[in-house]
């Protein structure tokens, strides 16, 4: 099976976690796009969605799914999103699609995080994928130096020859060379640096379930 087929498989499998009449938390990325397409087939059974990005909102609305603002909803039953890396405890690195801040917000508003991913995303320890960090531009250089002091190498994410601007009007640093041995401690530490909007380690908002697309079908990991 191709990686794209594995993404389709887990996107469809995630429908099992959607309750009739509910508002669903929806993440961002190519795997989530498969889930959104699957959600379109049962749109009459749900009340709508809370979305984590402009891109996902556009896709949901194009399928006729109502998108609510996060502030209109108290608590969501389930949040479904992909990951750049997930470890065997459900901790993740996210933000490859630059949507990490809204993803963390919607995840925090949800009782359960169901991660959908192909098996290439499952890792022993986080840190091989460049860690995305959303930052306020005036703090970017100092935050880069703080990561360099931890042994990291930092790149300011670009789009069309200019720094990428997120849905929140901020920039993204991608950091390689870090050892993230204790994801919870790492997330706690970096989140406190002035100018960091969101660090792409999801340990406080880790997954409770991962639907992993493998050659032999969907494996369900429960954390
Ligand atoms: C976006 C994300 C995505 O969930 C992550 O990048 C995985 O994306 P894909 O499903 O395209 O591999 O965190 O900010």
């Amino acid at each position: 099976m191709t990686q794209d087929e594995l993404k389709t498989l887990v996107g469809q499998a995630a429908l099992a976690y959607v309750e009739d009449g509910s508002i669903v938390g929806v993440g961002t990325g190519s795997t989530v796009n498969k889930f959104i397409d699957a959600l379109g087939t049962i749109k009459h059974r749900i009340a709508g969605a809370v979305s984590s990005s402009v891109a996902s909102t556009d896709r949901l609305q194009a399928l006729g799914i109502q998108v609510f603002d996060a502030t209109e909803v108290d608590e969501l039953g389930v949040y479904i999103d992909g990951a750049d890396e997930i470890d065997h405890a459900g901790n993740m690195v996210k933000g490859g699609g630059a949507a990490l801040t809204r993803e963390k917000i919607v995840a925090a508003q949800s009782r359960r995080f169901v991660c959908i991913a192909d098996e290439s995303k499952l890792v022993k320890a986080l840190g091989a994928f460049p860690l995305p960090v959303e930052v306020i531009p005036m703090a970017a250089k100092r935050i880069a130096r703080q990561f360099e002091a931890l042994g990291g190498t930092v790149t300011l994410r670009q789009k069309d020859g200019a720094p990428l601007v997120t849905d929140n009007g901020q920039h993204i640093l991608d950091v390689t060379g870090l050892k993230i041995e204790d994801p919870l401690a790492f997330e706690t530490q970096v989140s406190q640096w002035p100018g960091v909007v969101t660090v792409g380690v999801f340990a406080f908002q880790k997954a409770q379930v991962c639907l992993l697309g493998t050659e032999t079908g969907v494996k369900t990991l429960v954390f």
Side-chain angles (χ1 to χ4, degrees):
M1 257 187 281
T2 64
Q3 195 181 29
D4 195 63
E5 287 166 338
L6 294 177
K7 289 178 182 186
T8 302
L9 203 64
V10 293
Q12 290 171 345
L15 290 184
Y17 290 82
V18 174
E19 284 177 22
D20 283 358
S22 67
I23 298 175
V24 187
V26 176
T28 299
S30 58
T31 314
V32 165
N33 283 344
K34 306 290 191 183
F35 169 65
I36 294 173
D37 294 346
L39 202 56
T41 67
I42 62 155
K43 65 180 174 191
H44 301 298
R45 283 176 33 200
I46 61 168
V50 170
S51 164
S52 63
S53 64
V54 173
S56 289
T57 297
D58 289 348
R59 199 175 185 99
L60 287 158
Q61 288 176 337
L63 289 170
I65 297 170
Q66 187 174 357
V67 177
F68 293 90
D69 196 273
T71 57
E72 295 179 273
V73 181
D74 287 337
E75 190 183 54
L76 298 164
V78 70
Y79 176 65
I80 295 178
D81 198 358
D84 298 304
E85 290 184 330
I86 181 162
D87 72 13
H88 290 265
N91 301 300
M92 293 167 287
V93 164
K94 290 183 47 54
L100 64 165
T101 295
R102 296 188 188 190
E103 290 174 345
K104 212 175 253 193
I105 290 169
V106 185
Q109 201 171 342
S110 306
R111 280 197 299 279
R112 184 146 74 150
F113 190 136
V114 175
C115 175
I116 50 176
D118 64 87
E119 59 190 339
S120 70
K121 307 292 184 66
L122 185 65
V123 297
K124 277 193 180 144
L126 304 179
F129 188 90
L131 175 69
V133 186
E134 184 164 356
V135 299
I136 291 173
M138 71 178 284
K141 283 200 174 158
R142 179 184 40 76
I143 292 166
R145 286 197 295 275
Q146 287 184 266
F147 278 118
E148 283 159 6
L150 296 181
T153 302
V154 183
T155 308
L156 178 65
R157 198 181 295 185
Q158 305 284 312
K159 190 182 177 190
D160 302 329
L164 177 144
V165 178
T166 67
D167 287 351
N168 313 304
Q170 312 302 339
H171 288 172
I172 299 279
L173 300 178
D174 290 301
V175 190
T176 55
L178 295 171
K179 278 191 185 157
I180 307 175
E181 283 161 354
D182 182 342
L184 210 52
F186 185 89
E187 185 179 3
T188 304
Q189 178 189 7
V190 175
S191 299
Q192 288 170 8
W193 295 353
V196 168
V197 178
T198 302
V199 57
V201 170
F202 281 52
F204 286 97
Q205 269 71 50
K206 72 177 195 135
Q208 278 75 48
V209 175
C210 178
L211 302 177
L212 200 68
T214 76
E215 281 304 321
T216 53
V218 177
K219 267 190 196 163
T220 304
L221 312 178
V222 180
F223 308 106

